[in-house]
Amino acid sequence: MRQLKFWFVFGWLVFPGWDVQAAGILIEPIVGWDLGQFSAVTQVGDTTVMTLKAAASGLGLGGRLGWANDEFFSAADFRWSSLDMATRLDGSAVTTDANLSHLRIGVAAGAPIPIILSRFVATIHFYDELRGDSTTTPKGIAVGGGLGFNPISFVSANAEFFYHFYNSRIVDTATTRRTQWDLLFSLSFPVTIPITGSSSSSRRGSGGKISF
């Protein structure tokens, strides 16, 4: 039942009762570079006993599939990153290198800002998993937002910020809280395919506005 409710909300966010005559199908591949920092703080009661930090960077790929018109878009959002991490304990200069796979799935929505040829995008990832060699895989959710600069309608240069909230790990009396933030700099290629029977204004394009 919980999974059914999740997919119902997911579908409603991606396809929120669009006027089909004014909208098209959005397909948007994304490629970029991910920079960020992972942290894990272990506490016993109110006392912090260990803080681990890891600088992360790597290739980021993804895409969106949904609906768009001249004023708004909503879409399913998929991201995957291959991250090289340099991990160290707080106060120590010794680092340990690792490679992790970072998978996120969620929804995104945005609107154009025609004055500066850009758009604002807000994203929430309901599924967020950071997987490596460790048996303790952080899982959680992420929220983010960013701007895309559209020099031409089918290319967008993007800068996005994400904050990740992972599940806590509890061992005996110790609780480890894990979080991560990252910046994603990317190029995306949004293409809107008009739906058969759409209005003439949709077939003509954006009428001077930014196309998604």
Side-chain angles (χ1 to χ4, degrees), residues 23-87:
I25 298 173
L26 171 68
I27 301 174
E28 184 175 0
I30 302 170
V31 58
W33 193 257
D34 211 340
L35 299 169
Q37 179 172 284
F38 172 86
S39 66
V41 179
T42 301
Q43 292 181 309
V44 176
D46 295 329
T47 303
T48 299
V49 296
M50 185 178 69
T51 299
L52 180 146
K53 295 183 179 179
S57 64
L59 176 68
L61 302 173
R64 297 187 180 111
L65 177 65
W67 296 94
N69 59 22
D70 292 341
E71 306 296 337
F72 184 77
F73 85 86
S74 65
D77 188 282
F78 166 85
R79 307 293 180 98
W80 175 85
S81 301
S82 177
L83 298 176
D84 292 320
M85 282 192 166
T87 305

Side-chain angles (χ1 to χ4, degrees), residues 183-201:
L183 288 169
L184 178 63
F185 300 97
S186 67
L187 289 176
S188 62
F189 308 92
V191 176
T192 302
I193 302 173
I195 297 174
T196 302
S198 61
S199 64
S200 59
S201 62

